[in-house]
């Protein structure tokens, strides 16, 4: 997964190891992506999420403080909003997480406020909506033993229809009863991180930005779009809704567009599905 530059494997909770990396490479800033990120798992095993997502971030921040590195870009989540009640969601929408995963990201955002106020560590928190798609060249993408993300799960059934796709919940207050999500291509996410990095280094400020397109698609709509892109029907079954899943999450990302100059270029649903399909073909070759 790491093709360019040096790679050091370590546990973020190992503060000594992190300090050694910071001493050796003396980065201007840190981009912090590491976390467990499965809502349903967090409901069943909250300790894992608080230990890893919150505890590891504290370890990283303390290492940064000791090594006098004052800039951070943090991968937060729309899960901090919980069930917002209405969409699209703006950055000032009240944060009321409904899962331990959402709480863990919310807690880190609160910690970052205190670390800026007291220790002068400036940060930008990027609240992802649903990251999706793969490298446009088809050579880098998701690779999980137990897949939880929607589009890779759909593609798994496309390539092996022996087990039907599972739709969790059809009684949400949405247009077809299935949950609605806002999908953002990983290439557009990557661009947003570069812009956020430039911004925090230039303005030395604490900010939060939503990263989404504002277009919401239901689970069944994504299923139909995947069938269209792949040219094959996808068998599915209905399962009970999962605890911690809000009915609809859709972003208002105007702030990122206006302040960072961010423009999503690859986040239309067919492009997302096409690139995810190309990655799946690359894996299966």
């Amino acid at each position: 997964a790491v093709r360019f530059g040096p790679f050091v494997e370590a546990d973020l909770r190992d503060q000594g190891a992190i300090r050694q990396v910071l001493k050796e490479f003396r980065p201007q800033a840190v981009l912090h992506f590491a976390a467990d990120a499965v809502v349903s798992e967090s409901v069943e095993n909250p300790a894992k999420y608080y230990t890893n997502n919150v505890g590891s971030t504290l370890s990283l921040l303390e290492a940064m403080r000791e090594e006098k590195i004052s800039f951070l870009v943090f991968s937060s989540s729309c899960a901090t909003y919980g069930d917002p009640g209405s969409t699209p969601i703006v950055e000032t929408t009240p944060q009321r997480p409904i899962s331990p995963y959402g709480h863990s990201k919310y807690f880190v955002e609160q910690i970052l406020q205190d670390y800026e106020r007291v220790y002068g560590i400036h940060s930008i928190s990027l609240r992802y909506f649903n990251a999706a798609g793969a490298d446009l060249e088809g050579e880098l993408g998701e690779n999980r033993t137990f897949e939880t993300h929607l589009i890779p799960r759909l593609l798994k059934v496309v390539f092996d229809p022996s087990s039907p796709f599972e739709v969790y919940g059809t009684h949400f207050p949405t247009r077809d009863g299935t949950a609605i999500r806002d999908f953002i291509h990983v290439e557009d996410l990557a661009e947003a991180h570069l812009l956020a990095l430039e911004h925090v280094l230039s303005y030395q400020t604490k900010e939060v930005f939503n990263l989404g397109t504002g277009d919401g698609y239901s689970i069944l709509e994504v299923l139909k779009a995947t069938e269209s892109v792949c040219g094959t029907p996808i068998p599915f079954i209905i399962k009970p809704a999962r605890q911690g899943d809000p009915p609809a999450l859709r972003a208002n990302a105007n702030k990122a567009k206006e302040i960072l100059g961010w423009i999503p270029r690859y986040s239309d649903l067919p492009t997302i599905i096409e690139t995810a399909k190309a990655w799946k073909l690359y894996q299966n070759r």
Side-chain angles (χ1 to χ4, degrees):
V2 179
R3 297 192 174 192
F4 307 101
F7 172 66
V8 179
E9 183 173 354
D11 190 321
L12 278 182
R13 291 166 292 190
D14 183 348
Q15 194 178 132
I18 303 308
R19 285 193 65 182
Q20 184 57 43
V21 170
L22 298 180
K23 282 179 184 292
E24 181 177 354
F25 295 103
R26 301 308 307 168
Q28 284 183 284
V30 172
L31 281 75
H32 176 26
F33 300 96
D36 287 311
V38 181
V39 169
S40 58
E41 182 189 47
S42 78
V43 173
E44 296 169 359
N45 189 2
K48 178 182 180 182
Y49 280 71
Y50 295 132
T51 300
N52 193 22
N53 296 3
V54 182
S56 65
T57 303
L58 278 170
S59 175
L60 172 63
L61 287 169
E62 282 299 285
M64 289 175 61
R65 188 159 73 94
E66 292 293 332
E67 298 304 322
K68 297 180 172 51
I69 295 168
S70 301
F71 301 100
L72 177 75
V73 178
F74 170 59
S75 299
S76 190
S77 170
C78 63
T80 64
Y81 295 113
D83 181 357
S86 63
T87 59
I89 301 165
V90 296
E91 286 82 358
T92 54
T93 297
Q95 292 174 282
R96 302 188 183 101
I98 57 176
S99 69
Y101 169 64
H103 276 109
S104 72
K105 293 291 188 177
Y106 173 76
F107 292 156
V108 171
E109 287 195 20
Q110 304 310 300
I111 290 166
L112 291 176
Q113 287 186 17
D114 291 333
Y115 268 69
E116 178 177 65
R117 178 178 57 84
V118 178
Y119 306 124
I121 294 180
H122 307 290
S123 65
I124 289 181
S125 295
L126 299 175
R127 294 175 184 161
Y128 298 7
F129 279 64
N130 281 60
D135 166 35
L136 294 173
E137 296 180 1
E139 296 182 354
L140 190 66
E142 299 177 75
N143 186 19
R144 295 182 177 85
T145 303
F146 177 66
E147 185 55 69
T148 61
H149 287 183
L150 174 62
I151 292 171
R153 287 175 49 230
L154 285 166
L155 290 171
K156 182 178 180 181
V157 178
V158 167
F159 286 90
D160 179 13
S162 60
S163 297
F165 177 75
E166 296 177 339
V167 176
Y168 292 99
T170 56
H171 295 91
F172 292 106
T174 61
R175 49 186 172 262
D176 62 16
T178 62
I180 289 176
R181 296 292 182 264
D182 184 337
F183 296 88
I184 181 76
H185 196 285
V186 290
E187 295 270 358
D188 290 326
L189 278 179
E191 177 68 17
H193 283 79
L194 294 176
L195 293 169
L197 179 61
E198 292 171 0
H199 186 83
V200 75
L201 288 171
S202 297
Y203 295 98
Q204 302 185 16
T205 185
K206 170 79 175 68
E207 280 285 6
V208 296
F209 295 100
N210 287 339
L211 296 181
T213 64
D215 298 320
Y217 298 97
S218 75
I219 304 304
L220 289 180
E221 287 170 341
V222 178
L223 185 150
K224 294 298 181 186
T226 306
E227 288 180 330
S228 178
V229 167
C230 297
T232 184
I234 298 175
F236 67 92
I237 58 173
I238 305 300
K239 303 277 282 188
R242 296 172 296 191
Q243 187 178 350
D245 276 350
L249 294 170
R250 187 165 62 89
N252 178 324
N254 288 342
K255 183 180 176 184
K257 294 173 183 177
E258 292 168 4
I259 294 178
L260 300 180
W262 178 63
I263 302 173
R265 294 180 292 166
Y266 307 110
S267 292
D268 60 283
L269 198 54
T271 298
I272 287 173
I273 296 168
E274 285 281 8
T275 57
K277 176 188 172 186
W279 164 243
K280 187 72 174 176
L281 288 168
Y282 181 84
Q283 286 181 296
N284 291 346
R285 67 179 184 169

